[in-house]
Amino acid sequence: MPENVIQNSAQLQSPVKKTSKLANIYKFRELGLLAFIVILSLAVQLRNPSFLSGENINDMITNTAILSILALGMMLVLVTRGIDLSIGSTIAFSGMIVAQAVSANQNLNPFVVILLGIVIGMACGAVNGILIAKVGLLPIIATLAMMNIYRGVTFKISGGEWISSYQMPESFVSIATGKTFGINNLIVIAIVIYLLFYYLINHTRTGRQIYAVGSNPDSAKVSGIKEGRILLLVYTIMGGFAGLSGVLWVSKFASAQGDTASGYELTVIAACILGGVSIAGGSGKISGIILGSVLLGILNNALPLLNVSPFWQTGIQGLIILVAVIINTLVKRGVDRNNLMRRKI
């Protein structure tokens, strides 16, 4: 066999080997995160026997459902090397409009309410996408500006007033508090979204293009992928999830106010980082998102049970996030160094 053919064959095989190594590293990292979750749960159980009770576990999963939905959308944004700081404001904006709608029309169908929230969120996300993909603003600048705009509009349309539970019909409140086949609706909605999302990422051309744009934008352009269209799609999906979460949030807490979900975007980003999503783009898995969301859910539930001060709770969460980022950085640096040493000169 000619020498150049052998070299070309080796070059074609090397990406496959690299992908396999990365997959093994991601699997190892996820197993480590799972082990940490198990150890943490057992440790908390020893201090408070009610932690692993069926009722408390159900509460943890229910409380984590909205976070996990938002983390899916944020994963796509981070995969494309972007960020969305406006989702907390979008939640408040969507939730306020929906709350006003159901308080004015008590007979409004719950499915129409959910659709309304999603459409509002998608519109907000599309504005972000246009500013980033068409105007050319940096994601952090565009979404930071829209974060303040959406929040300001929310306060304006609400007149600074709250909409409380007594103004909302039972059909609306039951969206988040009701059950389907004995399972809380929030959990059911999250499961359905995760299944659809899994199909999008792993079995569609669009899913592959999203990762291609994040991995290497220049190569993606050369291969014919329209980066602007992908970015617009990603931010619109993120907005749709935020709009849906606004409906679920107001339904769950039976209250709509101007400062709803203030700062929540940082919690969502933290869940993604803990789940192994790279801020540099190009990598992220649904299984990691689930684990990252579950870990934050456990911390939010366990620390109060252990009578930890609220001020320390924030500090502990920040420390865990910092450790996760450091580990991810060291793992990536090790992979890059290993690939460099194996590269033929």
Side-chain angles (χ1 to χ4, degrees):
M1 183 178 294
E3 183 178 354
N4 62 338
V5 175
I6 297 176
Q7 292 176 348
N8 291 336
S9 176
Q11 291 174 356
L12 288 173
Q13 293 176 4
S14 59
V16 177
K17 294 180 179 179
K18 181 179 178 180
T19 302
S20 177
K21 291 175 182 177
L22 288 174
N24 290 333
I25 290 174
Y26 292 147
K27 185 180 297 184
F28 176 78
R29 184 167 56 195
E30 290 173 5
L31 289 175
L33 183 57
L34 178 60
F36 179 75
I37 289 174
V38 172
I39 294 172
L40 176 63
S41 299
L42 293 176
V44 176
Q45 176 67 14
L46 292 175
R47 294 289 303 274
N48 191 324
S50 65
F51 177 70
L52 292 180
S53 64
E55 181 179 358
N56 192 57
I57 291 176
N58 181 70
D59 288 341
M60 278 194 296
I61 297 175
T62 302
N63 293 334
T64 307
I66 295 178
L67 171 62
S68 64
I69 292 172
L70 291 167
L72 281 178
M74 186 62 75
M75 183 186 79
L76 286 188
V77 172
L78 293 175
V79 163
T80 57
R81 303 188 178 191
I83 195 169
D84 191 346
L85 300 178
S86 69
I87 60 174
S89 298
T90 303
I91 291 172
F93 181 48
S94 170
M96 180 59 69
I97 293 180
V98 166
Q100 290 179 338
V102 297
S103 63
N105 186 351
Q106 299 281 322
N107 297 321
L108 202 59
N109 189 289
F111 292 102
V112 174
V113 173
I114 291 175
L115 181 61
L116 175 61
I118 294 174
V119 170
I120 293 171
M122 290 179 67
C124 294
V127 172
N128 292 337
I130 291 172
L131 292 175
I132 295 167
K134 304 300 182 182
V135 181
L137 296 182
L138 292 174
I140 191 172
I141 300 299
T143 58
L144 180 62
M146 298 313 299
M147 175 186 72
N148 291 294
I149 291 174
Y150 295 149
R151 186 70 67 178
V153 172
T154 303
F155 278 109
K156 178 63 178 179
I157 63 176
S158 67
E161 298 181 354
W162 293 15
I163 298 180
S164 304
S165 58
Y166 71 90
Q167 299 171 268
M168 302 176 186
E170 180 60 31
S171 59
F172 174 71
V173 176
S174 64
I175 293 176
T177 60
K179 294 184 178 181
T180 302
F181 303 114
I183 304 175
N184 184 276
N185 288 341
L186 286 178
I187 300 175
V188 173
I189 293 173
I191 291 174
V192 171
I193 291 176
Y194 265 83
L195 292 176
L196 294 175
F197 212 76
Y198 177 83
Y199 179 80
L200 170 67
I201 291 178
N202 295 284
H203 299 287
T204 67
R205 182 180 180 183
T206 301
R208 292 189 292 271
Q209 290 178 342
I210 291 173
Y211 278 83
V213 168
S215 298
N216 195 324
D218 294 331
S219 297
K221 290 180 181 178
V222 172
S223 63
I225 298 175
K226 296 182 179 180
E227 181 182 5
R229 183 179 299 178
I230 293 297
L231 292 177
L232 179 59
L233 173 64
V234 165
Y235 283 94
T236 301
I237 292 175
M238 178 73 263
F241 283 166
L244 170 63
S245 297
V247 177
L248 301 178
W249 188 295
V250 174
S251 174
K252 175 178 172 57
F253 297 105
S255 174
Q257 53 198 61
D259 59 351
T260 295
S262 180
Y264 200 65
E265 55 276 350
L266 300 181
T267 303
V268 176
I269 294 172
C272 292
I273 294 174
L274 287 173
V277 180
S278 174
I279 297 180
S283 65
K285 294 180 64 179
I286 291 180
S287 54
I289 291 296
I290 295 175
L291 292 174
S293 300
V294 168
L295 178 55
L296 282 184
I298 290 175
L299 290 174
N300 290 332
N301 182 274
L303 295 179
L305 289 178
L306 297 178
N307 296 321
V308 177
S309 167
F311 303 104
W312 279 110
Q313 291 177 26
T314 304
I316 291 173
Q317 291 181 7
L319 178 62
I320 292 176
I321 293 170
L322 177 62
V323 171
V325 172
I326 292 175
I327 292 176
N328 288 342
T329 301
L330 293 177
V331 169
K332 186 178 184 302
R333 185 179 300 171
V335 172
D336 294 339
R337 184 185 297 112
N338 187 44
N339 291 333
L340 183 62
M341 293 178 63
R342 290 175 176 273
R343 184 178 299 172
K344 295 183 178 180
I345 302 177

